[in-house]
């Protein structure tokens, strides 16, 4: 959620910090700040965008060879300058991602020692705690190590101190943090993208790690107090992969990147053999008798689609759970269950905690589907599948979702190969469908003008209803979520057969109803549901396969989808709904890439 950048160099680090924060804007934030040491500790903070912070830094001629920066997404304390990071205590300054759960107890203790608090945040206790430990004679690195032993909760922190301008101390527990290695300069950040401007040489810190960072060295101490060498990775990401280019918004760019991203993901999968999930995957899949999918938000919707595929193709019972809820109820563990965890970032706190919970219950057969190598989720699971969506900057997930669906379809096919036998014709048909998918997505992108016209018709509406049946119901849920996220139109999704059980009471001429009408076994029933809407004066917007024989008329708007293989239909139908939400948000004048109150990577509960 929040973003951290830190730098120790022989040059002025302020431009590096500002650019790093700009590259972290996609994570969602409400304020930003920078602290540097130049003879003394200097700090600037502002509400709003990083551009405002940059203007302030130039006006004050801020410079220094060591510094930390932060974008804050408010948890403790309202969005305001006084609550913005970095926080200070004496000559100590700290930035922090995560939540300190015992901050009230620590605050009480520090107040008793005479410390005064100027913010409402949980983070400020870290600054005072480190300052107090430094006063006892510890070095900065020792003080940060000692401070972390008194903290409960999730944190990624970076600390600098005016009395020792040669080093930065960092630590992580439950929130992502990595180091970037340069030539006579070193860096820290919560995301690789923030550092591509200066280095591609990355060291990922693990849970409980603390690191002492200077211009010429990096020393990492693990949770047991041992010096460790964490592997060096050379990032394959390029700085220009994060550039907007000629696109109006990142969301639009990423919607149109979907054919290439899905093609890259499927190329990784080869012929959809179990081995693409790990060398031991086939043997592990032979042992399972059920699947449990854990995910949040958009990834949860991907899991709901996958349930249809896994049960329909492989005959394996599959349940899907919201990760943030799962571990707070009594469940019945089954050691023969394949637990599939889905997360775009691999740092989703609730999903990681749910995986750790099932492992504690004895369910060790875990698979991560994720877009980020070396993420916490990848490291926590036995098997893994890396989607190839590339960087996704827009807060509302688009290409990450379709790549997740492609990966989950590969999983269902792989389970089918392990659990059941394909006939040659069946296998050829499925592999042909997979090969067809990128082209089908390209075709769906041609719906943009029509979706823009639909959006213009109902952008002024306060509510919208999305309908789907079977495997398309989760796609209706995803369409409603996208509209809510970026247009701020209240939208709900229902299985169309549920209309008569309550939602029909809401339908009138002011309630647009968006429906997905594939040419499948449920089409006749769906048409009856649509007639129920028209009989109540509701205006229909229908995504219909050409063979579905749904015709435009007064109050019924129809956008035709190509008759692709049925198994691809939910993935392809996603694209017009993304475009619909995008253009509705444009018509309403919203900030498409940075919707209010939301963050890209949800690293706290």
């Amino acid at each position: 959620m929040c973003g951290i950048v830190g730098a120790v160099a022989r040059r002025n680090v302020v431009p590096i910090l500002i650019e790093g924060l700009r590259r972290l804007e996609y994570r969602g934030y409400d304020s930003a700040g920078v602290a540097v040491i130049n003879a003394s500790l200097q700090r600037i903070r502002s509400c709003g965008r990083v551009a405002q912070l940059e203007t302030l830094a130039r006006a004050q001629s801020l410079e220094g060879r060591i510094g930390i920066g932060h974008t804050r997404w408010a948890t403790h304390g309202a969005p305001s300058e006084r609550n913005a990071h970095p926080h200070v205590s004496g000559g100590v300054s700290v930035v922090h991602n995560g939540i300190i759960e015992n901050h009230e107890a620590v605050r009480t203790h520090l107040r008793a020692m005479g410390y005064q608090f100027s913010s409402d945040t949980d983070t400020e206790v870290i600054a005072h705690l480190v300052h107090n430990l430094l006063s006892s004679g510890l070095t900065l690195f020792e003080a940060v190590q000692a401070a972390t032993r008194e903290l409960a909760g999730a944190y990624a922190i970076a600390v600098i101190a005016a009395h020792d301008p040669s080093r930065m101390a960092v630590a992580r527990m439950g929130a992502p943090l990595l180091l970037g290695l340069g030539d006579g300069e070193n860096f820290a950040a919560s995301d690789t993208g923030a550092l591509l401007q200066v280095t591609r040489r990355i060291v990922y810190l693990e849970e409980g790690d603390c690191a002492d960072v200077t211009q010429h060295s990096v020393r990492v101490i693990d949770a047991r107090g041992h010096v460790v060498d964490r592997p060096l990775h050379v990032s394959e990401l390029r700085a220009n992969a994060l550039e907007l280019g000629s696109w109006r918004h990142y969301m639009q760019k990423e919607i149109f990147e979907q054919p290439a991203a899905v093609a890259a993901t499927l190329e990784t999968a080869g012929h959809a053999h179990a081995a693409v999930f790990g060398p031991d995957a086939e043997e592990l899949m032979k042992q399972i008798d059920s699947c449990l999918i854990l995910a949040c938000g958009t990834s949860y919707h991907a899991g709901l689609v996958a349930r249809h595929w896994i049960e329909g193709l492989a005959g394996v019972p599959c349940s899907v759970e919201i990760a943030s809820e799962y571990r707070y109820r009594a469940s019945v563990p089954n050691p023969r269950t394949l637990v599939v965890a889905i997360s775009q970032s691999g740092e989703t706190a609730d999903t990681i905690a749910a995986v750790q919970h099932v492992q504690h219950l004895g369910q060790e057969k875990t698979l991560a589907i994720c877009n980020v190598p070396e993420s916490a989720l990848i490291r926590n699971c036995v098997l893994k599948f890396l989607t190839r969506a590339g960087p996704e900057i827009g807060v509302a997930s688009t290409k990450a979702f379709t790549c997740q669906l492609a990966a989950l379809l590969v999983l269902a096919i792989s389970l089918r190969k392990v659990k059941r036998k394909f006939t040659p014709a069946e296998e050829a048909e499925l592999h042909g469908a997979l090969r067809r998918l990128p082209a089908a997505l390209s075709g769906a992108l041609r719906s943009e003008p029509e979706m823009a016209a639909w959006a213009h018709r109902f952008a002024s509406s306060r509510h919208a209803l999305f309908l789907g049946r079977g495997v398309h119901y989760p796609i209706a849920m995803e369409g409603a979520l996208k509209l809510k996220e970026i247009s701020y139109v209240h939208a709900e999704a229902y299985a169309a057969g549920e209309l008569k059980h309550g939602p029909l009471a809401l339908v009138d001429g002011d309630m647009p109803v968006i429906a997905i009408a594939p040419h499948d076994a449920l089409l006749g029933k769906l048409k009856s549901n649509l007639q129920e809407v028209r009989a109540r004066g509701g205006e229909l917007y229908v995504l219909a396969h050409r063979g579905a024989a749904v015709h435009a008329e007064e109050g019924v708007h129809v956008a035709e989808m190509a008759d692709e293989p049925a198994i691809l239909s939910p993935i392809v139908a996603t694209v017009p709904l993304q475009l619909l939400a995008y253009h509705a948000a444009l018509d309403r004048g919203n900030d498409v890439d940075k919707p209010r109150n939301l963050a890209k990577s949800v690293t706290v509960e």
Side-chain angles (χ1 to χ4, degrees):
M1 300 176 78
C2 307
I4 285 174
V5 184
V8 186
R10 292 173 294 191
R11 52 177 163 158
N12 179 22
V13 300
V14 173
I16 297 170
L17 299 177
I18 295 291
E19 179 60 23
L21 294 180
R22 183 179 289 111
R23 291 166 182 257
L24 292 174
E25 286 187 298
Y26 76 94
R27 296 171 71 92
Y29 70 107
D30 47 62
S31 58
V34 167
V36 297
I37 299 171
N38 185 1
S40 63
L41 181 68
Q42 298 173 277
R43 174 181 62 164
I44 57 170
R45 299 180 294 176
S46 70
C47 288
R49 298 302 180 206
V50 170
Q52 295 171 245
L53 187 72
E54 183 177 25
T55 300
L56 193 59
R58 285 176 178 167
Q60 297 188 14
S61 300
L62 189 71
E63 63 177 72
R65 295 185 179 184
I66 180 170
I68 51 178
H70 191 267
T71 53
R72 177 179 186 253
W73 188 86
T75 53
H76 295 72
S80 64
E81 184 176 333
R82 69 189 293 267
N83 289 326
H85 298 212
H87 289 286
V88 300
S89 179
V92 173
S93 185
V94 61
V95 291
H96 162 231
N97 292 352
I99 291 177
I100 304 303
E101 295 174 359
N102 64 335
H103 71 97
E104 291 180 348
V106 178
R107 184 187 301 260
T108 300
H109 174 67
L110 288 166
R111 275 188 171 141
M113 299 172 64
Y115 284 96
Q116 295 183 347
F117 287 78
S118 60
S119 78
D120 305 312
T121 69
D122 55 330
T123 300
E124 194 176 356
V125 302
I126 305 173
H128 292 317
L129 193 55
V130 172
H131 179 268
N132 179 254
L133 291 163
L134 281 171
S135 301
S136 70
L138 298 182
T139 66
L140 176 63
F141 184 55
E142 291 169 342
V144 170
Q145 283 184 290
T148 61
R149 291 193 285 269
E150 297 189 37
L151 303 176
Y155 55 79
I157 60 176
V159 188
I160 56 175
H163 85 282
D164 188 356
S166 65
R167 63 186 2 95
M168 168 176 59
V170 304
R172 70 151 294 187
M173 178 65 76
L177 193 66
L178 52 87
L179 305 177
L181 307 185
D183 181 12
E185 54 187 17
N186 289 306
F187 312 92
S190 46
D191 190 307
T192 305
L195 300 183
L196 291 178
Q197 52 165 321
V198 287
T199 185
R200 292 173 52 231
R201 300 169 65 224
I202 303 298
V203 172
Y204 295 95
L205 297 180
E206 298 191 4
E207 290 288 88
D209 281 356
C210 293
D212 186 26
V213 183
T214 70
Q215 284 185 25
H216 303 290
S217 68
V218 167
R219 182 167 61 104
V220 181
I221 307 294
D222 67 13
R224 297 175 298 169
H226 299 154
V227 177
V228 290
D229 289 322
R230 299 299 182 207
L232 175 66
H233 300 266
V234 179
S235 174
E236 297 178 3
L237 290 176
R238 300 291 177 181
N240 59 9
L242 304 174
E243 299 299 331
L244 184 59
S246 61
W247 298 96
R248 189 171 179 182
H249 296 94
Y250 279 106
M251 183 177 179
Q252 184 188 37
K253 173 177 182 275
E254 287 153 10
I255 289 172
F256 277 82
E257 286 175 342
Q258 287 177 113
V262 167
T265 297
L266 292 176
E267 183 179 357
T268 301
H271 293 288
H273 292 298
V276 302
F277 299 96
D280 301 323
E282 183 169 356
E283 185 58 35
L284 186 148
M285 288 179 181
K286 288 178 181 177
Q287 299 169 15
I288 67 158
D289 58 19
S290 63
C291 284
L292 167 63
I293 297 177
L294 301 171
C296 298
T298 285
S299 297
Y300 171 69
H301 297 156
L304 291 173
V305 174
R307 177 170 61 189
H308 289 268
W309 291 335
I310 290 169
E311 293 189 344
L313 285 175
V316 175
C318 181
S319 59
V320 187
E321 297 273 358
I322 298 173
S324 58
E325 291 290 320
Y326 178 69
R327 72 186 193 278
Y328 295 115
R329 68 173 178 82
S331 58
V332 181
N334 174 8
R336 294 176 63 85
T337 293
L338 176 64
V339 179
V340 182
I342 313 170
S343 168
Q344 182 269 330
S345 67
E347 302 291 349
T348 307
D350 289 313
T351 304
I352 294 168
V355 168
Q356 293 168 343
H357 174 69
V358 298
Q359 291 169 334
H360 178 72
L361 294 176
Q363 298 179 117
E364 299 291 341
K365 299 175 177 63
T366 53
L367 163 65
I369 293 179
C370 177
N371 195 46
V372 181
E374 296 300 325
S375 61
L377 187 64
I378 290 289
R379 295 197 301 271
N380 269 275
C381 292
V382 176
L383 305 178
K384 66 180 180 181
F385 185 97
L386 282 170
T387 56
R388 302 295 178 182
E392 189 177 66
I393 306 302
V395 167
S397 181
T398 52
K399 62 177 179 173
F401 177 67
T402 47
C403 286
Q404 286 173 352
L405 289 176
L408 289 162
L409 181 52
V410 169
L411 174 63
I413 294 170
S414 300
L415 283 169
R416 167 78 180 234
K417 289 180 178 180
V418 170
K419 294 293 187 180
R420 293 177 170 179
K421 295 297 183 184
F422 276 118
T423 66
E426 288 172 336
E427 187 166 4
E429 181 181 1
L430 279 170
H431 286 298
L434 286 178
R435 288 192 297 271
R436 172 67 186 154
L437 181 54
L441 291 171
S442 294
L445 290 169
R446 291 195 286 271
S447 68
E448 184 174 28
E450 201 158 9
M451 292 304 101
W454 282 13
H456 186 67
R457 291 182 67 97
F458 70 76
S460 60
S461 299
R462 295 181 59 199
H463 309 279
L465 192 63
F466 285 70
L467 301 178
R469 298 204 70 143
V471 71
H472 293 87
Y473 170 44
I475 300 303
M477 296 171 70
E478 176 63 12
L481 176 62
K482 286 292 160 283
L483 193 67
K484 281 183 281 197
E485 282 181 307
I486 61 171
S487 76
Y488 316 144
V489 172
H490 172 245
E492 296 295 335
Y494 279 88
E498 288 293 292
L499 264 178
K500 296 184 290 293
H501 300 281
L504 201 55
L506 298 171
V507 173
D508 59 21
D510 297 323
M511 170 77 84
V513 178
I514 300 96
I516 308 168
H519 192 189
D520 61 13
L522 290 171
L523 178 61
K525 295 184 182 297
L526 178 68
K527 285 183 175 180
S528 296
N529 302 140
L530 300 185
Q531 288 301 317
E532 294 165 359
V533 172
R534 284 300 299 134
R536 274 78 180 176
E539 187 137 354
L540 282 168
Y541 297 82
V542 186
L543 293 174
H545 282 162
R546 288 173 188 149
V550 178
H551 304 294
E553 57 183 77
E554 180 69 26
V556 181
H557 312 275
V558 179
E560 283 193 344
M561 298 187 297
D563 287 323
E564 302 294 350
I567 202 159
L568 301 185
S569 180
I571 310 178
V572 177
T574 298
V575 174
L577 298 181
Q578 294 170 345
L579 291 166
L580 180 64
Y582 172 73
H583 283 282
L586 284 186
D587 279 359
R588 293 169 69 90
N590 295 347
D591 189 338
V592 175
D593 290 331
K594 305 180 188 71
R596 67 190 184 199
N597 304 335
L598 298 181
K600 180 67 176 173
S601 181
V602 185
T603 57
V604 297
E605 281 197 74

